[in-house]
Amino acid sequence: MRKIVTAGEILVEIMAAEIDQSFMTPGPLIGPFPSGAPAIFIDQAGRLGQPAAIISSVGADDFGRLNILRLQESGVDTSAIAIHEGAATGSAFVRYGRDGDRNFVFNIQNSACGLIRLDPAARALIATADHFHVTGSSLFSERVIDIVKSGIDAVKARGGTVSFDPNIRKEILDTPGMREALDFVLARADIFLPSGDELFLFAQALDEAGAAAEILARGVAAVVVKKGAAGAVCYEARGAVDAPAFPVEEVDPTGAGDCFSAGFVSFWLRGEGIERALRLANACGALAVTKKGPMAGTPTLVEVETFMESRA
Ligand code: ATP
Ligand code: MG
């Protein structure tokens, strides 16, 4: 089985308990939950049985420990998660609006995440990777960008593959160097997994099929557009495959995109057909939204197969 390596932020997430709650006045909060987009992705890949590892950094605190324990429980190789005395694990506070919009207060660059670097453990891991996954939100520092570039170059030199989920949050799009890094990754990606309007940040066309065609023409093998409760569409040179979502009650949407991407990439790497990879990815995304907490719904392979059979 092919080993997936990713790099980027490990966070705890703390969420406002009520819809339309303000962060300008005291109110009930729920958490800490293990989080961070690349961490959610790699957790889902590990739970599906894919060899999986993450290059990251946490503080020597409970927030770091709870994340490492969770990832280990999911079968993820945590050997390249550096633990820094004197730094605090990163965090994200999130509140949800009535119309489903999300607002975050991130503490990433000034947390232990700001200390992520290409150290010997990271290099050792990259040397074993068959596939490198990039989450756009992780390109917040020159050091993470260096790891991502090294990882992609090493994997590609061995004939491996790259996937890219832009996962752009409005709160971080203006980070210096991020735009150039996003373009670097897209130019080398085999699978591109945008959601919502992210597709249009990388193309001129104003319609989805046209924008996907532009990106395929740049050498990407599969463009997979995630659409929340409307499921997903995969564009390849030979045509498009549309896959409806599984109807579920949405409790917490955060992390669905990462779980979907991990499901799709894991099954694509196993040589599954696009229809089955999309169905499995939709099932991972659907189960992810049914529980509060970004990793709380992340299914194992058995759970996702049982769920798909129950909905056949
Ligand atoms: P995030 O960045 O917060 O992880 P996203 O915006 O990248 O999420 P979405 O498009 O919201 O990703 O969701 C990813 C996938 O998860 C969808 O393509 C779908 O398969 C599944 N999904 C998300 N929301 C729902 C829902 N309400 N019902 C069923 N499936 C859902
Ligand atoms: Mg996303």
Side-chain angles (χ1 to χ4, degrees):
M1 280 241 259
R2 312 190 60 148
K3 181 166 183 176
I4 305 178
V5 172
T6 193
E9 68 279 18
I10 285 178
L11 311 174
V12 286
E13 185 160 312
I14 296 170
M15 59 182 85
E18 282 152 21
I19 299 293
D20 277 343
Q21 191 174 320
S22 165
F23 277 161
M24 296 292 285
T25 52
L29 301 170
I30 308 174
F33 294 103
S35 190
I40 302 165
F41 172 93
I42 211 68
D43 180 76
Q44 176 65 89
R47 285 176 100 76
L48 294 173
Q50 202 69 25
I54 184 168
I55 298 165
S56 190
S57 174
V58 296
D61 52 30
D62 284 349
F63 290 173
R65 277 189 281 278
L66 79 84
N67 268 290
I68 290 174
L69 287 173
R70 164 60 196 234
L71 290 170
Q72 287 174 343
E73 184 199 302
S74 298
V76 175
D77 172 353
T78 59
S79 61
I81 301 177
I83 301 172
H84 289 277
E85 295 284 345
T89 300
S91 60
F93 289 75
V94 62
R95 60 190 178 87
Y96 295 100
R98 196 167 301 284
D99 48 3
D101 63 316
R102 279 177 285 180
N103 286 283
F104 291 91
V105 178
F106 286 116
N107 179 24
I108 299 180
Q109 305 212 42
N110 296 317
S111 74
C113 297
L115 302 172
I116 300 173
R117 55 169 55 92
L118 192 53
D119 60 14
R123 286 184 200 279
L125 204 57
I126 285 172
T128 67
D130 301 301
H131 180 92
F132 201 87
H133 177 75
V134 182
T135 300
S137 60
S138 302
L139 305 173
F140 55 80
S141 77
E142 277 304 319
R143 288 166 179 168
V144 182
I145 293 170
D146 277 352
I147 295 172
V148 163
K149 287 183 173 174
S150 301
I152 290 175
D153 287 344
V155 161
K156 286 261 149 180
R158 286 197 288 276
T161 46
V162 171
S163 51
F164 175 35
D165 181 342
N167 202 46
I168 290 165
R169 304 282 185 233
K170 61 184 186 299
E171 288 87 351
I172 53 173
L173 187 53
D174 295 332
T175 310
M178 183 175 272
R179 180 72 225 194
E180 295 72 22
L182 292 168
D183 289 333
F184 175 96
V185 178
L186 182 60
R188 288 155 185 82
D190 298 282
I191 310 175
F192 178 52
L193 301 134
S195 34
D197 288 341
E198 288 169 347
L199 175 64
F200 300 105
L201 292 171
F202 297 90
Q204 306 292 317
L206 299 175
D207 66 300
E208 184 180 293
E214 270 177 52
I215 290 167
L216 292 174
R218 283 151 67 176
V220 174
V223 175
V224 186
V225 184
K226 295 171 277 178
K227 302 181 168 193
V233 184
C234 177
Y235 294 89
E236 293 176 290
R238 62 184 157 181
V241 178
D242 202 321
F246 291 91
V248 291
E249 195 200 330
E250 182 177 296
V251 175
D252 177 11
T254 304
D258 308 311
C259 291
F260 175 99
S261 294
F264 186 85
V265 170
S266 298
F267 279 76
W268 185 85
L269 285 172
R270 293 175 201 190
E272 292 282 354
I274 293 295
E275 278 84 0
R276 178 151 162 83
L278 277 178
R279 186 169 154 78
L280 190 122
N282 275 328
C284 291
L287 287 166
V289 303
T290 58
K291 296 219 173 85
K292 233 185 226 320
M295 294 189 202
T298 316
T300 61
L301 184 58
V302 170
E303 285 165 354
V304 81
E305 282 175 338
T306 306
F307 174 76
M308 289 194 300
E309 275 162 29
S310 76
R311 301 298 185 99

